Amino acid sequence: MHSERTTDLSILYSNLKSHPTNQENVVLIKTGSMNPVHRSHISNMVRTKQYLERVYNFNVIGGYLSPTHDEYVHSKLGNELISGQHRIEMCRKAIEEAGQQHWLSVDMAECMGKLMELFQIYFHSRRW
């Protein structure tokens, strides 16, 4: 479940304050195993941001890499699993290395969540 403990919203608040606009605000979210995260994960987010701002005139105020929880990654990759805590840290470092920390962050909610909670959230959201 998303909370202040798992999701840093300060980037969104900061970008809303520093770039007030009448444009529609957008937040990007990239989920996946990120086992490991690589440059394409970051470049896809950057290119998507650029495209949405250029073509649709959206104001992208933030983006999140959201690594999938260990149970799912283990079922997919078995012993090649990199622990969730390490994948979170690798995402942070990849964002810093790319110089994108002014708008990109790591959302830890999915990675830190329990499998049943995630299914409940997913199925509840699908009803709407």
Side-chain angles (χ1 to χ4, degrees):
M1 188 64 108
H2 297 278
S3 69
E4 289 180 16
R5 191 173 70 98
T6 62
T7 309
D8 178 11
L9 300 178
S10 65
I11 289 173
L12 304 181
Y13 298 138
S14 174
N15 286 335
L16 280 171
K17 276 185 179 178
S18 64
H19 300 95
T21 179
N22 291 332
Q23 297 167 287
E24 189 169 352
N25 294 317
V26 175
V27 176
L28 303 178
I29 300 173
K30 167 77 177 125
T31 63
S33 299
M34 298 186 210
N35 192 83
V37 67
H38 49 78
R39 287 187 176 103
S40 290
H41 289 119
I42 306 295
S43 67
N44 286 340
M45 293 290 281
V46 171
R47 288 179 182 170
T48 300
K49 178 183 187 296
Q50 292 168 343
Y51 178 81
L52 291 173
E53 290 175 340
R54 186 182 72 248
V55 175
Y56 292 99
N57 203 33
F58 287 142
N59 182 34
V60 179
I61 58 172
Y64 293 93
L65 297 179
S66 179
T68 305
H69 57 90
D70 285 349
E71 291 175 55
Y72 174 75
V73 179
H74 185 268
S75 73
K76 225 174 115 173
L77 301 176
N79 292 337
E80 294 181 16
L81 165 72
I82 299 169
S83 76
Q85 195 57 45
H86 282 103
R87 289 182 289 125
I88 288 169
E89 193 55 37
M90 289 186 329
C91 286
R92 285 187 180 127
K93 299 247 187 238
I95 291 167
E96 284 179 32
E97 182 182 290
Q100 300 298 316
Q101 61 271 31
H102 61 284
W103 76 280
L104 264 181
S105 185
V106 181
D107 182 278
M108 301 179 289
E110 184 181 356
C111 199
M112 294 173 64
K114 292 185 174 82
L115 187 57
M116 286 312 295
E117 289 175 5
L118 295 169
F119 281 131
Q120 289 169 348
I121 292 167
Y122 173 77
F123 287 117
H124 177 73
S125 68
R126 298 293 291 183
R127 290 186 202 154
W128 305 104

